[in-house]
Amino acid sequence: MKNFLLLVLAAMIVSGCHSSKSGTDVATDSSAFKDTAWTPLFDGKTTKGWHTYGKTEAGKAWKAQDGLLHLDASAKGDWQTKNGGDLVTDAEYENFELSIEWKISKAGNSGIIFYVNEDPKKYPYSWHTGIETQVADNKENEDGHIPKHHAGDLYDLISINKEVVKPAGEWNKTMVLVNNGVLNIFVNDEQVLTTKLWTDNWKKLVAESKFKEWPDFGTFKKGHIVLQDHGADVWFKDIKIKEL
């Protein structure tokens, strides 16, 4: 019996290892799953705790009502929304587990961005520094047909390893778990991507992407969380975080 228990324990340890789409073996950091209380980032009624990138308040196109945070993109402002803009947490986060549910409009595009350094004079947009996991209608949006631009992908960097995203108009759940540089992304409760940040391999991924134009992209180890305004209606709910 003792030998059997030892074999079971060994199998459990081995099963804790995962492989990323980029080909780098990454072990999930089990210390990230400690029993920490969730902190809501959205109260379901107001945009308290959020502001538009580079400003002090949330743009009026971001509407909070009945437990939903909705970007009303009916009034366009170039490629974004008039009185919208990227929505930014007032607080910054380092090691965390973020859980958020989202629903995208037909042909829509948005994103969940993290480790954003908010310095609009130096970085005009949040994605000049922050790392994005894509939110999109894979069927109708042009980005949905580009590798590494599908919903759930680490935008322009790594594709998810399985297609589990529900179509436009249906709710999806994304979880971003990052602890001491180990990043895991879950979509609809399935682990779809894992990688290590700030390594030589990470720098290579960035150098081969569109983000090579911005030398500070993906280098910050603490920053804001952002909900992207990409000119399309998008809804978010049940936004919460655990600091690790």
Side-chain angles (χ1 to χ4, degrees):
M1 177 61 73
K2 182 178 180 180
N3 289 338
F4 173 76
L5 291 176
L6 289 172
L7 286 171
V8 171
L9 179 60
M12 290 173 65
I13 294 171
V14 171
S15 68
C17 297
H18 304 273
S19 178
S20 73
K21 189 80 171 185
S22 63
T24 301
D25 290 331
V26 179
T28 302
D29 188 343
S30 60
S31 66
F33 293 94
K34 63 185 180 181
D35 186 15
T36 307
W38 287 102
T39 300
L41 291 181
F42 173 50
D43 63 15
K45 300 176 291 185
T46 71
T47 54
K48 182 180 179 180
W50 299 81
H51 61 275
T52 294
Y53 185 79
K55 299 183 180 180
T56 57
E57 297 181 350
K60 293 182 179 180
W62 287 98
K63 300 178 179 180
Q65 187 176 11
D66 299 329
L68 302 181
L69 182 59
H70 170 214
L71 175 63
D72 181 354
S74 56
K76 304 300 181 187
D78 195 12
W79 62 274
Q80 289 190 307
T81 303
K82 186 177 181 181
N83 296 320
D86 290 353
L87 197 64
V88 184
T89 56
D90 292 344
E92 294 183 86
Y93 301 93
E94 186 174 2
N95 297 312
F96 60 86
E97 184 176 2
L98 172 71
S99 177
I100 181 168
E101 293 185 46
W102 56 269
K103 179 172 66 173
I104 192 69
S105 55
K106 184 177 180 180
N109 187 328
S110 181
I112 301 163
I113 309 175
F114 50 99
Y115 287 146
V116 171
N117 184 279
E118 189 176 17
D119 184 350
K121 290 184 178 180
K122 188 174 183 180
Y123 312 115
Y125 295 103
S126 65
W127 43 270
H128 285 177
T129 58
I131 305 163
E132 176 185 349
T133 177
Q134 174 78 310
V135 168
D137 174 7
N138 286 341
K139 183 177 180 181
E140 299 289 343
N141 185 269
E142 59 182 13
D143 250 11
H145 302 285
I146 302 173
K148 302 179 185 178
H149 290 199
H150 299 170
D153 289 355
L154 207 60
Y155 186 81
D156 212 53
L157 294 166
I158 307 174
S159 296
I160 58 176
N161 58 29
K162 62 179 73 172
E163 292 298 333
V164 295
V165 179
K166 298 176 185 177
E170 296 188 27
W171 286 103
N172 289 275
K173 178 182 177 182
T174 291
M175 294 184 68
V176 177
L177 172 62
V178 59
N179 197 37
N180 296 321
V182 179
L183 170 64
N184 290 280
I185 293 178
F186 300 77
V187 176
N188 296 328
D189 296 319
E190 293 199 47
Q191 186 168 10
V192 294
L193 186 151
T194 182
T195 194
K196 287 184 177 179
L197 305 176
W198 314 310
T199 63
D200 287 342
N201 183 65
W202 173 255
K203 293 173 184 177
K204 182 175 182 289
L205 287 172
V206 174
E208 294 173 349
S209 75
K210 63 184 289 183
F211 300 112
K212 62 186 177 184
E213 298 180 35
W214 299 286
D216 293 335
F217 171 83
T219 61
F220 293 95
K221 299 181 180 180
K222 183 177 182 179
H224 301 273
I225 293 167
V226 167
L227 306 179
Q228 188 182 46
D229 172 2
H230 207 291
D233 280 80
V234 61
W235 295 260
F236 299 97
K237 67 177 181 178
D238 197 20
I239 310 170
K240 55 189 178 182
I241 196 165
K242 286 183 184 180
E243 293 191 73
L244 307 174

